[in-house]
Amino acid sequence: MFVFWCSLLGLIVILTLFAGSFSSHPVNEMDMDAVFSARDGHLLGTDHLGRDVFSRLLEGGKVTLIVAGLSVLLSFIIGVVYGGISGYAGGWTDSVMMRILEALISIPSLVLVLAFQAIMQGGMWGMTFIIGVTGWFTTARIVRSEFIRLKDTEYVKMAKMFGTPVWRIITGHLLRNSLPPLFVVTIFNLAGAVFIEVSLSFLGIGIPSAIPSWGNMLYNAQNDLLIGAWWIGVFPGLLIFLTILSINFIGEALKDPRRRRFHA
């Protein structure tokens, strides 16, 4: 099943990132003679403005996945830097930094996201920044614990004894050997970032409606479902479900290598 979920996620990523090559119609092209059409030359029908749902589904997926991917990269960098400093320095520096981190973790993530959203007023890059700067807490704790565990190993002590520069010890010995658990938590963070973007856009406080995304498609489909245009909300909802499910299954398999081997 590991191979299946990787293949499914890879297919979704390829279709969305190269949306222009697979789209059957321009994303914002309106055909007022084919409003709420389930056929009429449109693979997945049209919306309330006669726009092709399939094309918007791919383009919206590209926006959602780019926002999620870049925000996870940002949170990874912040978490590694913060957790690395805390774990390597130790002592009072570690204590102060961990108290700050615990205070941030105690605040519900939605409150932090909404606070940043009120300041930055959304936008694609604004959402990327907001999700990134509020999603690094778990990464920082893992980096800190790994650095504390690894800095007392024999090879790190030998590197210090031979006068190896601190930056090389951190990158070549500590960070490199911390990558397996970091990779797993980053996979789960990606699923969380997709969910946050979709949730905020669905509530109308995420990416502006002028930019297609899976969350915006669901937001715009709320009234359409009441008049029987089920395809407008079902297909983005299905892709969101499959994307998050695939990422979570991949993360679970990577967390337990034996499970990946037996079910591949």
Side-chain angles (χ1 to χ4, degrees):
M1 291 301 291
F2 177 76
V3 175
F4 169 77
W5 293 114
C6 286
S7 301
L8 178 59
L9 181 61
L11 178 62
I12 293 173
V13 170
I14 291 172
L15 287 174
T16 53
L17 292 185
F18 298 97
S21 301
F22 298 103
S23 299
S24 54
H25 295 78
V27 175
N28 292 315
E29 181 182 67
M30 294 184 288
D31 184 359
M32 302 310 293
D33 294 326
V35 173
F36 292 130
S37 173
R39 297 182 181 86
D40 197 23
H42 299 276
L43 183 61
L44 300 181
T46 61
D47 62 9
H48 64 290
L49 294 176
R51 298 173 298 188
D52 184 68
V53 171
F54 180 70
S55 300
R56 293 183 65 78
L57 188 66
L58 297 185
E59 186 66 26
K62 179 168 72 173
V63 172
T64 296
L65 293 180
I66 287 176
V67 168
L70 292 179
S71 66
V72 166
L73 177 61
L74 176 60
S75 65
F76 177 84
I77 294 172
I78 297 174
V80 166
V81 172
Y82 193 94
I85 293 173
S86 178
Y88 188 80
W92 66 268
T93 301
D94 177 48
S95 298
V96 172
M97 294 182 73
M98 282 302 101
R99 299 297 82 75
I100 295 174
L101 182 59
E102 289 170 2
L104 291 173
I105 291 176
S106 66
I107 304 174
S109 59
L110 182 60
V111 174
L112 292 174
V113 170
L114 292 177
F116 277 105
Q117 180 72 340
I119 297 171
M120 301 190 64
Q121 300 299 319
M124 179 175 171
W125 304 118
M127 281 300 301
T128 300
F129 178 80
I130 290 169
I131 298 173
V133 298
T134 57
W136 55 271
F137 307 142
T138 302
T139 301
R141 296 187 71 170
I142 290 177
V143 172
R144 171 187 176 266
S145 63
E146 287 295 307
F147 273 36
I148 291 175
R149 179 180 67 85
L150 293 169
K151 72 179 183 179
D152 290 327
T153 56
E154 292 298 325
Y155 59 86
V156 173
K157 290 180 179 178
M158 290 290 291
K160 291 179 179 178
M161 186 176 67
F162 284 113
T164 304
V166 173
W167 67 268
R168 184 172 289 255
I169 293 175
I170 292 175
T171 58
H173 297 294
L174 300 179
L175 183 58
R176 186 177 65 181
N177 289 288
S178 302
L179 288 180
L182 278 178
F183 184 71
V184 173
V185 77
T186 301
I187 291 291
F188 286 114
N189 285 343
L190 179 61
V194 172
F195 180 77
I196 291 173
E197 187 283 315
V198 169
S199 300
L200 293 179
S201 296
F202 176 72
L203 295 173
I205 55 176
I207 293 177
S209 58
I211 303 174
S213 74
W214 284 342
N216 281 338
M217 292 185 73
L218 288 180
Y219 174 74
N220 294 325
Q222 294 179 80
N223 295 326
D224 300 334
L225 291 173
L226 300 177
I227 62 174
W230 55 270
W231 59 88
I232 299 176
V234 166
F235 292 118
L238 181 61
L239 269 186
I240 294 167
F241 172 76
L242 290 176
T243 300
I244 294 178
L245 191 66
S246 300
I247 296 172
N248 282 327
F249 269 108
I250 292 170
E252 287 293 337
L254 292 174
K255 187 168 65 174
D256 186 358
R258 294 173 300 173
R259 185 174 178 180
R260 179 181 60 190
R261 183 173 67 251
F262 294 149
H263 293 275

